[in-house]
Amino acid sequence: MGLGGIIILILASIASSVVAYFVYAGFDERRGDFIKIFAPEEKEGKRGLSSFLEKYRIYILFLLIAASTFFIRAGIFIIIAAAVVFLIKKQRDARLKKEIVKNFPNALSIMKMAAKAGLPLHGAVKNVMEYSASPQIREVFKKIYHVSYTLGEPVEKTIFKEGKRLDLPDLIFLASVIEAHVEVGGNIVELLDLLEENMRRLSVAGDRVSSLMTEGRISVL
């Protein structure tokens, strides 16, 4: 449902509220009758709830219809608004993920240069946080650095958790490489270089596949 549908729902909800208000005003004008029913005088005889319902059944019916219409419209509007917010968030997360994957090889390159300079893993992560050209990459590695540095958690575990949270296999794979280096040993620079090279190849292959798919769609049209 587009913007026009949402506007119609809002107007319908307002109309339902107006109807409910006028029904209430009608009851308010007959307040004296309420008093007579619940505090009857002997001259008028005794009247109970059944006579009240019988006399004002049309007003009660209108009130129930107006209230149910209002709540139904309000419920539909809330559901649509929640769906729109969810879709916007999903699209934003998809763009964020795409941007991170695109710039991830450059982040690995910065980590590799930091490791070559003799910096520890915390320092390599900090360099990415400070020098990456991608704001999205800087934000991710800023969180990794601060969580790891503040809580004293191993860098690879923090990277793994962030990769799971963002659903980014690249970060999870990086965490696995660092964990293997910590447990087994080896040259971390070579590992990062190999990982960066594979990531760049995958990125080029993905771009090529997207290009071929686009060409196929154009040829079909």
Side-chain angles (χ1 to χ4, degrees):
M1 184 177 292
L3 181 60
I6 295 175
I7 293 174
I8 291 174
L9 286 176
I10 294 173
L11 293 176
S13 299
I14 294 173
S16 300
S17 302
V18 172
V19 171
Y21 170 77
F22 280 113
V23 172
Y24 170 77
F27 276 106
D28 191 55
E29 289 177 359
R30 297 177 177 267
R31 186 178 301 173
D33 293 334
F34 279 96
I35 296 174
K36 291 178 181 179
I37 290 172
F38 293 104
E41 298 178 1
E42 292 182 1
K43 292 181 180 179
E44 297 181 354
K46 294 184 178 180
R47 289 180 290 179
L49 182 59
S50 59
S51 61
F52 166 74
L53 294 176
E54 179 68 21
K55 186 174 182 179
Y56 296 108
R57 62 182 182 276
I58 188 65
Y59 294 102
I60 295 173
L61 180 61
F62 281 144
L63 179 61
L64 291 175
I65 293 174
S68 61
T69 302
F70 170 75
F71 285 114
I72 290 172
R73 298 292 185 182
I76 294 174
F77 174 74
I78 291 172
I79 292 173
I80 292 175
V84 170
V85 171
F86 173 77
L87 290 175
I88 292 174
K89 184 179 182 300
K90 189 174 181 180
Q91 290 179 353
R92 185 189 65 184
D93 292 344
R95 288 196 298 268
L96 174 65
K97 183 177 178 180
K98 184 177 180 181
E99 187 68 21
I100 291 173
V101 171
K102 179 182 177 182
N103 292 278
F104 195 70
N106 293 331
L108 293 175
S109 179
I110 295 173
M111 289 187 69
K112 180 181 67 177
M113 289 187 291
K116 276 185 179 180
L119 293 177
L121 289 173
H122 279 97
V125 170
K126 185 178 181 181
N127 271 19
V128 178
M129 176 187 77
E130 293 178 344
Y131 301 118
S132 175
S134 168
Q136 292 80 6
I137 289 287
R138 289 200 304 269
E139 190 64 28
V140 170
F141 277 80
K142 179 181 178 180
K143 182 175 181 180
I144 292 171
Y145 176 77
H146 284 296
V147 170
S148 179
Y149 183 80
T150 303
L151 301 180
E153 187 177 64
V155 175
E156 63 273 14
K157 289 187 177 181
T158 309
I159 294 175
F160 179 81
K161 289 180 180 178
E162 192 65 10
K164 292 287 288 184
R165 187 184 71 84
L166 296 173
D167 190 24
L168 283 171
D170 293 350
L171 275 177
I172 296 174
F173 196 49
L174 173 62
S176 302
V177 168
I178 295 176
E179 185 176 9
H181 164 71
V182 172
E183 293 181 356
V184 180
N187 192 331
I188 187 63
V189 175
E190 292 180 359
L191 291 174
L192 291 173
D193 185 56
L194 181 61
L195 183 58
E196 177 193 353
E197 184 179 353
N198 288 331
M199 293 293 179
R200 292 190 186 279
R201 287 179 179 176
L202 287 173
S203 179
V204 171
D207 292 341
R208 180 57 178 162
V209 169
S210 299
S211 176
L212 290 174
M213 292 178 65
T214 303
E215 292 174 2
R217 292 194 192 99
I218 294 175
S219 62
V220 169
L221 295 176

